[in-house]
């Protein structure tokens, strides 16, 4: 090791060394290290290249706010996680990590040419430079920009890991297990509340983990922490969730937690999920998320080795790592002096402390400690620049005069520059919950204001600073939250604390620089998105004043860290430049997730076969065994066609269609929606709902029904049978079943409460086998009992009850093919058996199973519409050529009044017609547009479009249905379908192509 | 995810419910007597309230019943739920004004 590891102390286990590699080079660390602390122990600061300029970048922070140190951690080819923060990667033996966004390697990166080209690529450059030619954007510019600017690479393999999800309820959810959160959990649990305490870190303690000589209740901080966690752990009402990030705050106190279960393990057991999503519903929430230290903004502030002062304390006390040997400390707030004192005590040379606090800042306790320790302090200082390419080598300071002028000062050699601009409370979750934010003038930052949910913030998250204050504030918040959830308790004795509490108030925006234009060296505001003061100034010069606009133009705060370290500095810079106060500049909205969340967490088990429920018809296994090709219709799997050996789709469909026309075919129609409508007012109800007249429908008769919405447009259709005076069997389209049922319920429950009627979905209770074709009766006659199938006894649209294969059957004499047809309804459990029996009985008649594709062709040959294919939600019954179904004498039905509006009867509405290509071999494309004249160039007037188009084997030519403006008045006209290869001439004909008289139906 | 208090089943998560649009829009008893303007208003014109809004919900994956709710559109907080056909209850002003 390089001598940067302290001889003792910290929370790492020096008895458990761990091996790991970074960019292929082997290192060792200790159990308890993060990847960041282990690299720093070897003096490695350079860990990545920046997003846009490919600048060398180092570790800035010690926690989840880290903007620079994004790495890829790889277990195998499929388990490669890009863009994880090295500060949050727990070390395990054998860990393999790689840097990102560099080629060929981290020290020499060709992409760094972008840094030299930076005057050419300011904020918004891609909006200005790559405007045309338009096609080049997709082919050239975007792929190039994406390749050059970016983060890690996603794995090319499917994720082999498992992700779990669970719901949880609690009285009090405490987010953050620092001093305030722990105190809140203690008092809430003591009051009897069920408490859930989560923290994003592996260990509970938050800021306490970074302390070394504080004393609480007479015990050293580490001992107090261990005892407190043990107390909570043994309380059965408390659930502790370490490694768990509260990433989103959703309405009604619904909080999303991402628990990382195995990422820290060298050898996870396969039975464990990698991560677990907790959807918590909390009666009360305590947000104790602490605060994030702000970087300072000065030229060269992104050089590796420039880091937050609090991070240096954390690495020293928690991990036993000195981040350098010679430090310059730029103190924009009192707490930074504490870092200087403690690093000096650990043997780090403090070259100088530059006091860069805002003029007139009150003296603080940490500053006094630094003076007592005899450290060199330069008052009224500013930082003019930092030098060093792959690691900071020196810092040039300046002096700020009383008039605000800046004079250059000395250069101080160093290998690490510690900065602090003050602390920004983590108000993310409070803001996500729609709580207001208020600007705290003393702190110079936003704190939580009025809450919109049952939530309260505690400790440094609301600006309550100092260890004793945080403990008191947390205890009070926990008590109040418990009481609000119905559990009264008392706070117990106050915690006795001895600690040096450095002040946390600081400054926002850029450090003062000499008058004149901005220096050439970049001063970064947003490290992760490479946004500089120059970019913000440019945005203002180009007229952007609102922070929401500046944010989008420069992309400041829009990286994966969502501006944790940059947000307030951007606001402060814009405020200074425009001579406004920060609250007047505004505030951008905090959104979930707090830190990036994997897709796997949200997907959970809903992937592969479990992605979406699958509905299968009773004949599914039979069809599957015979090689049927299925298609998805909603959640249903429907057989599309049954290819014989060597057949393609077209050959199979031709054969299936001809079989129905000449012999007999069978088709599984079980997916049709089925609703039983029952009650003494059932007929009245259907009369009010559907366009047809149902009052005169006889028992055991059926009729084709049309359902409109009240706006007069076709919504659904289907055959409706009357089984008894007070009982109807309604069928709907396959896709419309649920919405028709909901619509019926709506009218029954809320509009026509005078009616005595009930509805029940019976879609899955009935299996339906359609037997269609001239020999259909011959097939069924062998199996059906108790029903006279003769045409006189069971005419077209008649319904009968009897038995088939000995089981009860509801038999419809209906046809969606135009042939003699029956639909056999049996209880779904008998469906497979009856299907097979009909198939066997039909062998002597050449029965042929057919799929949805043949069904479509057969119905199109007859001009039968499919709602949703030949209609589109803007068609009246007249437009769709089904106005004949309307009961003309009815006073009202849903949609009737709308049909009386002038526009619904206007000439020139699109009407359903048949379209016959002049060349019978051409099959039109569905969706293709129809125009009146050939040879036009765009833009041209489109007068209609093709809705259904097929090759018809029965007719030996193509057929199509379409909707054309004033279509029925155009019969015989020639129109044109413009396609890339040229215009296709079509003749307008009636929509019925086959058996126009309908004689075959009555066979 | 919202918690919605079904008047028949009690508080249940939002994913059990379907939203049903503005409440208290009554279909004319005899639409043939409505003028074109009146009918158009019934069909298409809806409030876009900032604040307390009366809306319909259906406990679609529960009891199946339609009911009404008063919701503050600025906070998503439900102020009351009540059965279809009932008049909206009087509620206190929303907790956090815009």
């Amino acid at each position: 090791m390089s001598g940067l590891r302290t001889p003792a102390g910290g929370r790492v286990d020096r008895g458990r060394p761990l091996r790991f590699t970074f960019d292929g080079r082997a290192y060792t660390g200790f159990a308890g290290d993060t990847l960041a602390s282990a690299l720093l122990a070897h003096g490695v600061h350079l860990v990545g290249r920046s997003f846009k300029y490919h600048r060398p970048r180092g570790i800035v922070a010690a926690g989840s706010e880290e903007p620079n140190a994004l790495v890829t951690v790889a277990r195998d080819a499929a388990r490669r996680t890009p863009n994880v923060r090295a500060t949050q990667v727990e070390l395990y033996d054998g860990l393999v990590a790689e840097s990102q966004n560099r080629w060929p390697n981290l020290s020499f990166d060709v992409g760094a040419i972008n840094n030299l080209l930076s005057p050419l690529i300011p904020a918004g450059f891609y909006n200005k430079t790559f405007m045309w030619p338009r096609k080049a954007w997709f082919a050239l510019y975007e792929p190039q920009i994406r390749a050059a600017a970016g983060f890690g690479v996603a794995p090319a393999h499917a994720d082999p890991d498992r992700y779990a999800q669970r719901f949880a309820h609690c009285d009090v959810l405490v987010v953050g297990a620092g001093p305030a959160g722990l105190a809140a959990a203690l008092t809430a649990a003591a009051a009897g509340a069920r408490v859930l305490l989560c923290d994003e870190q592996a260990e509970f303690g938050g800021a306490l983990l970074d302390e070394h000589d504080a004393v609480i209740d007479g015990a050293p901080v580490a001992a107090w922490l261990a005892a407190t966690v043990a107390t909570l752990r043994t309380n059965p009402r408390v659930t502790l969730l370490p490694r768990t990030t509260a990433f989103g705050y959703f309405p009604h106190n619904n909080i999303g937690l991402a628990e990382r279960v195995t990422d820290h393990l060298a050898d996870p057991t396969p039975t464990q999920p990698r991560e677990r999503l907790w959807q918590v519903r909390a009666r009360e929430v305590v947000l104790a998320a602490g605060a994030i230290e702000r970087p300072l903004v000065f030229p060269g502030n992104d050089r590796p080795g420039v880091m937050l002062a609090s991070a240096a304390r954390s690495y020293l006390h928690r991990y036993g790592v000195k981040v350098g040997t010679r430090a310059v400390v730029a103190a924009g707030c009192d707490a930074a002096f504490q870092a200087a004192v403690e690093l000096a005590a650990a043997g780090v040379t403090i070259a100088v402390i530059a006091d860069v606090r805002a003029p007139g800042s009150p003296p603080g306790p940490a500053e006094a400690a630094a003076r007592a320790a005899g450290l060199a302090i330069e008052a009224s200082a500013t930082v003019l620049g930092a030098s060093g390419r792959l690691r900071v080598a020196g810092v040039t300071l300046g002096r700020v005069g009383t008039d605000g002028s800046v004079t250059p000062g000395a250069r101080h050699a160093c290998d690490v520059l510690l900065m602090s601009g003050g602390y920004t409370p983590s108000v993310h979750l409070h803001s996500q919950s729609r709580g207001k934010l208020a600007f705290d003038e003393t702190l110079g930052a936003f704190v939580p204001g009025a809450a919109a949910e049952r939530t309260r913030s505690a400790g440094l998250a609301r600006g309550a600073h100092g260890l004793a204050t945080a403990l008191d504030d947390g205890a009070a918040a926990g008590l109040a939250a418990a009481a609000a959830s119905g559990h009264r308790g008392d706070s117990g004795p106050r915690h006795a604390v001895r600690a040096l509490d450095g002040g946390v108030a600081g400054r926002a925006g850029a450090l003062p620089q000499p008058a004149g234009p901005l220096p050439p060296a970049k001063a970064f505001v947003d490290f992760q998105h490479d946004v500089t003061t120059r970019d913000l100034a440019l945005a203002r010069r180009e007229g952007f004043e609102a922070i929401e606009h500046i944010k989008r133009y420069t992309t400041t705060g829009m990286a994966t860290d969502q501006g944790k370290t940059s947000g307030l500095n951007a606001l402060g810079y814009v405020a200074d430049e425009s001579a406004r106060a920060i609250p007047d500049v505004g505030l951008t909205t905090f959104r979930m997730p707090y830190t990036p969340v994997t897709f796997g967490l949200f997907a959970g088990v809903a992937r592969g076969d479990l992605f979406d429920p699958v509905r299968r018809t009773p004949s599914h296994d039979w069809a599957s065994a015979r090689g049927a090709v299925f298609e998805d219709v909603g959640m249903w799997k429907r057989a599309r066609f049954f290819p014989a050996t060597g057949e393609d789709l077209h050959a199979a469909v031709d054969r299936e269609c001809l079989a129905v026309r000449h012999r007999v075919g069978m088709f599984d129609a079980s997916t049709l929606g089925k609703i039983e409508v029952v009650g003494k007012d059932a007929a009245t109800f259907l009369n009010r709902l559907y366009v047809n007249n149902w009052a005169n429908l006889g028992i055991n008769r059926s009729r084709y029904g049309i359902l409109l919405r009240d706006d007069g447009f076709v919504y659904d259709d289907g055959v409706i049978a009357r089984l008894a005076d007070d009982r109807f069997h309604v069928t709907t389209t396959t896709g419309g079943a649920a919405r028709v049922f909901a619509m019926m319920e709506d009218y029954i429950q809320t509009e026509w409460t005078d009616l005595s009627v009930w509805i029940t979905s019976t879609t899955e209770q009935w299996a339906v086998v359609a037997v269609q074709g001239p020999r259909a009766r011959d097939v069924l006659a062998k199996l059906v009992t108790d029903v006279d199938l003769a045409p006189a006894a069971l005419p077209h649209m008649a319904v009968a009850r009897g038995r088939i294969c000995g089981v009860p059957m509801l038999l419809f004499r209906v046809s969606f093919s135009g042939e003699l047809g029956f639909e056999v309804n049996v209880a779904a459990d008998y469906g497979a058996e009856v299907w097979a029996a009909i198939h066997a009985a039909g062998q002597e008649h050449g029965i042929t199973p057919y799929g949805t594709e043949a069904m479509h062709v057969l119905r199109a040959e007859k001009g039968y519409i499919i709602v949703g294919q030949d209609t589109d939600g803007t068609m009246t019954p007249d437009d769709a050529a089904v106005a004949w179904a309307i009961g003309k004498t009815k006073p009202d039905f849903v949609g009737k009044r709308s049909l009386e509006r002038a526009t619904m009867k206007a000439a020139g509405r699109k009407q359903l017609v048949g379209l016959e290509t002049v060349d019978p071999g051409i099959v039109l494309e569905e969706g293709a547009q129809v125009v009146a004249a050939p040879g036009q160039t765009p833009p041209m007037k489109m007068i209609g479009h093709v809705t259904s188009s097929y090759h018809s084997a029965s007719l030996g030519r193509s057929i199509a249905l379409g909707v054309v403006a004033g279509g029925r008045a155009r019969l015989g006209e020639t129109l044109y379908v413009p396609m890339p290869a040229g215009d296709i001439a079509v003749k307008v004909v009636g929509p019925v192509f086959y058996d126009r008289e309908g004689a075959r139906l009555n066979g | 995810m919202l918690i919605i208090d079904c008047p028949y089943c009690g508080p249940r998560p939002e994913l059990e419910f379907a939203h049903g649009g503005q409440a208290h829009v009554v279909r004319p008893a005899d639409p043939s007597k409505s003028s074109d303007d009146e009918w158009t208003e019934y069909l298409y014109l809806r409030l876009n309230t900032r604040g307390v809004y009366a809306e319909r919900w259906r406990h679609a994956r529960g009891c199946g019943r339609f009911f009404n709710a008063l919701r503050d559109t600025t906070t998503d907080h439900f102020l009351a739920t009540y059965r279809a056909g009932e008049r909206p209850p009087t509620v206190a002003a929303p907790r956090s004004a815009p």
Side-chain angles (χ1 to χ4, degrees):
Chain A
M1 295 228 172
S2 56
L4 292 170
R5 189 76 77 167
T6 57
R11 305 181 68 86
V12 292
D13 184 350
R14 291 162 199 260
R16 285 178 57 207
L18 305 172
R19 295 159 299 161
F20 70 103
T21 68
F22 180 65
D23 279 349
R25 196 166 154 194
Y27 298 94
T28 57
F30 294 127
D33 262 326
T34 62
L35 177 60
S37 68
L39 286 170
L40 288 170
H42 291 274
V44 176
H45 276 257
L46 173 67
V47 290
R49 288 277 176 167
S50 73
F51 178 65
K52 182 172 164 186
Y53 301 124
H54 288 247
R55 287 170 68 96
R57 287 287 166 82
I59 297 159
V60 169
S64 63
E65 73 273 28
E66 171 61 45
N68 281 346
L70 302 184
V71 298
T72 297
V73 175
R75 285 188 195 270
D76 53 43
R79 293 179 173 87
R80 286 177 58 87
T81 311
N83 308 328
V84 291
R85 293 154 298 281
T87 51
Q88 285 191 298
V89 175
E90 291 178 57
L91 208 60
Y92 56 78
D93 199 46
L95 181 131
V96 176
E98 293 162 14
S99 61
Q100 301 179 163
N101 202 33
R102 81 292 188 265
W103 186 86
N105 62 53
L106 195 50
S107 301
F108 177 75
D109 172 21
V110 167
I113 189 77
N114 282 5
N115 193 34
L116 300 176
L117 299 178
S118 63
L120 304 178
I121 47 175
F125 76 97
Y126 41 81
N127 298 324
K128 296 169 182 166
T129 317
F130 300 109
M131 296 287 284
W132 42 263
R134 268 186 77 79
K135 278 182 180 163
W137 176 255
F138 301 102
L140 183 63
Y141 300 145
E142 188 177 353
Q144 289 295 322
I145 293 172
R146 284 198 184 280
F151 300 121
V153 180
H157 300 70
D159 186 343
D161 285 321
R162 221 161 51 75
Y163 297 81
Q165 299 182 332
R166 61 171 296 179
F167 291 88
H169 294 260
C170 64
D171 294 319
V172 179
L173 168 68
V174 181
V175 177
L182 288 169
L186 282 173
T187 54
R194 285 175 307 144
V195 175
L196 212 153
L197 174 62
C198 69
D199 193 286
E200 63 180 354
Q201 301 207 53
E203 279 191 282
F204 282 174
L208 297 177
L209 300 170
D210 301 339
E211 296 296 333
H212 72 306
D213 58 1
V215 175
I216 306 176
D217 299 338
V221 60
W224 183 87
L225 176 58
T228 299
V229 172
T231 301
L232 291 170
R233 184 168 288 125
T234 51
N235 188 328
R237 288 189 299 276
V238 178
T239 304
L240 300 182
L241 290 174
R243 298 186 180 90
T244 302
T245 303
F247 65 83
Y249 201 133
F250 306 97
H252 293 183
N253 268 8
N254 186 202
I255 293 90
L257 311 181
E259 181 187 7
R260 293 171 295 281
V261 181
T262 62
D263 270 2
H264 63 292
L265 301 175
D267 193 16
T269 60
T271 54
Q272 282 179 298
R274 179 183 174 214
E275 296 179 350
R276 186 178 287 122
L277 172 69
W278 292 72
Q279 296 192 62
V280 179
R281 191 72 76 167
R283 287 187 203 278
E284 299 289 327
V285 173
V286 176
L287 297 174
I292 292 169
E293 195 175 22
R294 289 190 296 284
L296 293 169
V297 180
F298 57 85
N301 63 340
D302 69 324
R303 303 211 178 271
V306 180
M307 61 196 307
L308 295 169
S310 63
R313 287 190 71 218
S314 183
Y315 288 116
L316 179 64
H317 297 314
R318 183 169 175 186
Y319 302 102
V321 173
K322 291 178 277 189
V323 294
T325 57
R326 183 179 170 85
V328 170
V329 179
C333 92
D334 182 58
F337 290 89
Q338 187 174 0
V341 172
E342 293 170 2
L343 262 68
V348 178
T349 303
I350 304 298
V352 65
I353 302 173
D355 183 354
V356 301
R357 288 179 295 176
S361 297
E367 178 195 358
R371 291 191 189 285
L375 298 178
I377 299 173
E378 207 163 306
S380 303
T382 185
V383 183
L384 301 186
S387 61
R389 195 171 74 87
L390 300 179
R391 174 82 180 264
V392 67
V395 178
T396 304
L397 301 182
R399 175 171 289 274
V400 184
T402 47
D403 59 351
S405 63
V406 174
T407 48
R411 178 179 182 278
H412 298 268
C414 64
D415 63 359
V416 66
L417 168 56
L418 308 182
M419 58 182 169
S420 175
Y423 285 73
T424 310
S426 287
V427 296
H428 302 69
L429 290 172
H430 174 83
S431 176
Q432 281 184 30
S433 76
R434 300 195 191 187
K436 304 285 182 210
L437 296 177
F439 192 73
D440 183 323
E441 295 288 349
T442 312
L443 188 64
F446 287 94
V447 294
E453 293 277 358
R454 296 174 69 95
T455 188
R456 45 181 61 70
S457 295
L460 203 47
R462 70 177 192 101
H465 113 272
L467 186 47
T469 311
L471 288 166
D472 285 350
D473 201 45
L479 206 60
S485 72
H487 300 277
R488 302 217 163 269
D490 58 64
S491 58
R494 281 190 64 191
H495 298 287
V497 172
R498 201 175 75 226
L500 171 63
D501 291 322
V504 293
R507 57 185 308 153
L511 289 180
Q513 300 298 319
L518 289 174
K522 296 180 183 68
F524 285 86
V525 176
D526 184 326
F527 293 114
Q528 197 169 95
H529 256 177
D530 267 359
V531 181
T532 65
T533 51
R534 193 180 297 277
D535 295 319
L536 296 175
L538 175 71
R540 288 204 55 244
R541 274 207 307 283
E542 300 200 348
F544 297 97
E545 285 294 344
I547 194 65
E548 293 281 4
H549 294 158
I550 293 172
K551 166 183 169 177
R552 279 158 184 78
Y553 190 65
T554 62
T555 75
T556 187
M558 290 172 69
T560 68
D561 64 353
Q562 295 201 53
K564 287 188 182 64
T565 53
S566 65
L568 202 60
N569 277 337
L571 282 177
Y573 183 78
V574 172
D576 286 347
E577 291 296 299
S578 55
R580 287 180 285 175
I582 285 179
D584 298 336
V585 175
L587 188 62
T588 58
T589 311
F590 293 90
R591 301 187 195 283
M592 79 89 153
Y594 179 71
T595 46
V597 177
T598 62
F599 285 121
L601 190 80
F602 292 118
V605 297
R607 48 190 290 201
D609 288 345
L610 299 179
F611 178 67
D612 208 21
V614 172
R615 303 172 84 180
R616 295 189 179 90
T617 68
S619 70
H620 186 91
D621 291 346
W622 188 95
S624 188
R626 276 155 187 80
V629 176
F630 292 88
E631 68 170 336
D632 293 335
V633 181
M635 289 178 183
W636 288 103
K637 297 282 179 197
R638 301 194 76 180
R640 189 171 176 216
F641 60 103
F642 292 81
T645 309
E647 273 184 341
D648 63 4
L649 167 72
H650 296 289
V653 170
D654 284 358
R655 175 179 52 74
E656 291 171 12
C657 287
L658 290 172
V660 174
R661 293 277 177 240
H662 296 295
R663 298 189 305 276
V664 60
M666 61 189 295
F667 172 73
D668 191 334
S670 305
T671 65
L672 280 183
K674 294 172 278 289
I675 301 169
E676 196 148 296
V677 179
V678 182
K680 72 177 172 59
D681 296 320
T684 308
F685 171 68
L686 290 177
N687 245 12
R688 292 184 189 181
L689 200 63
Y690 279 73
V691 305
N692 318 65
N693 186 1
W694 302 102
N696 63 4
L697 180 66
I699 293 169
N700 288 336
R701 287 291 181 273
S702 68
R703 182 170 285 166
Y704 171 70
I706 299 275
L707 176 65
L708 311 182
R709 296 181 308 207
D710 234 346
D711 60 11
F713 298 123
V714 174
Y715 191 57
D716 203 77
D717 68 349
V719 169
I720 299 179
R722 188 169 206 167
L723 304 181
D725 194 46
D726 61 351
R727 185 173 296 261
F728 290 81
H729 179 102
V730 176
T731 65
T732 72
T733 58
T734 295
R739 60 174 179 257
V740 171
F741 189 88
M743 179 174 171
M744 287 182 174
E745 279 289 352
D746 196 345
Y747 279 94
I748 291 171
Q749 291 185 32
T750 70
E751 291 292 351
W752 302 324
T753 52
D754 56 318
L755 297 184
S756 176
V757 59
W758 290 266
I759 63 173
T760 306
S761 168
T762 56
T763 301
E764 304 219 330
Q765 275 59 47
W766 293 108
V768 184
V769 185
V771 184
Q772 306 271 308
R775 300 193 199 172
R777 185 180 290 112
D778 303 329
V779 174
L780 290 183
K782 294 168 68 178
L783 304 171
V784 167
T785 51
D786 309 340
V787 178
D788 182 354
L789 296 175
L794 193 69
H796 182 52
M797 302 305 276
V799 180
R801 264 172 287 200
R803 288 180 174 270
I804 185 166
C805 308
V807 305
M809 165 192 67
L810 184 62
L811 184 65
F812 286 69
R813 170 87 192 271
V814 288
S815 174
F816 199 44
S817 65
E819 300 295 330
L820 166 66
F822 299 88
E823 287 184 1
V824 175
N825 288 248
V826 295
D829 286 351
Y830 295 125
E833 192 185 334
V834 168
W835 172 275
I838 293 173
H839 185 255
Q843 286 307 303
E844 62 178 287
H845 301 288
I847 197 165
T848 302
Y850 65 100
T852 51
E853 195 65 25
M855 177 270 283
H856 276 107
V857 177
L858 294 165
R859 65 89 202 176
E861 289 171 345
K862 290 294 297 175
Y864 298 152
I865 61 166
I866 288 189
V867 172
Q869 175 166 347
D870 300 297
T871 70
D872 61 2
T874 65
M875 293 186 71
T876 66
D878 185 60
D879 297 342
V882 290
W884 54 266
I886 295 175
K888 303 287 186 295
T889 59
K890 294 206 298 180
D892 187 27
F893 56 81
V894 171
K896 181 180 172 71
R897 176 64 185 81
S898 291
L899 297 179
E900 299 304 316
R901 296 170 67 213
T903 51
M904 304 294 261
K905 301 177 181 176
R909 290 188 62 84
K910 286 185 181 176
Q911 294 171 327
L912 185 82
V913 291
L915 298 172
E916 251 180 29
T917 51
V918 172
D919 177 347
I922 297 177
V923 179
L924 297 171
E925 279 192 29
E926 291 175 354
Q929 297 295 319
V930 176
V931 299
Q936 303 181 69
T937 52
M940 53 184 121
K941 185 173 169 60
M942 297 173 286
I943 60 171
H945 63 272
V946 180
T947 59
S948 295
S949 175
Y950 312 95
H951 171 70
S952 163
S954 305
L955 297 165
R957 58 156 300 132
S958 68
I959 59 166
L961 299 174
V963 291
V964 174
R968 284 199 288 276
R970 294 178 185 264
L971 292 183
E973 280 184 28
T974 300
L975 301 176
Y976 298 88
V977 175
M979 297 298 290
D983 294 323
I984 301 169
V986 298
K987 201 170 93 184
V988 181
V989 298
V992 185
F993 295 90
Y994 186 82
D995 184 29
R996 291 200 169 85
E997 310 73 38
R1000 301 180 71 87
L1001 276 177
N1002 298 312
Chain B
M1 190 174 14
L2 304 172
I3 291 278
I4 300 173
D5 193 4
C6 171
Y8 304 93
C9 307
R12 312 289 302 171
E14 179 186 354
L15 52 77
E16 295 183 6
F17 296 84
H19 190 258
Q22 183 180 329
H24 307 297
V25 178
V26 180
R27 189 175 191 269
D30 184 354
S32 67
K33 293 209 172 72
S34 299
S35 68
D36 273 3
D37 284 350
E38 286 164 351
W39 186 249
T40 301
E41 179 166 335
Y42 160 71
L43 279 183
Y44 296 117
L45 295 189
R46 295 293 181 267
L47 300 172
N48 185 18
T49 306
R50 181 183 170 92
V52 181
Y53 182 64
E55 62 192 6
R56 298 166 1 119
W57 286 86
R58 180 174 177 231
H59 196 183
R61 288 158 204 88
C63 64
R65 303 295 294 268
F66 281 85
F67 59 92
N68 296 325
L70 296 179
R71 181 174 58 93
D72 181 353
T73 59
T74 63
T75 61
D76 259 357
H77 284 191
F78 282 79
L79 306 171
T81 55
Y82 51 103
R83 299 181 179 205
E86 293 178 353
R87 297 177 62 81
T90 309
V91 294
R95 186 138 72 112
S96 60

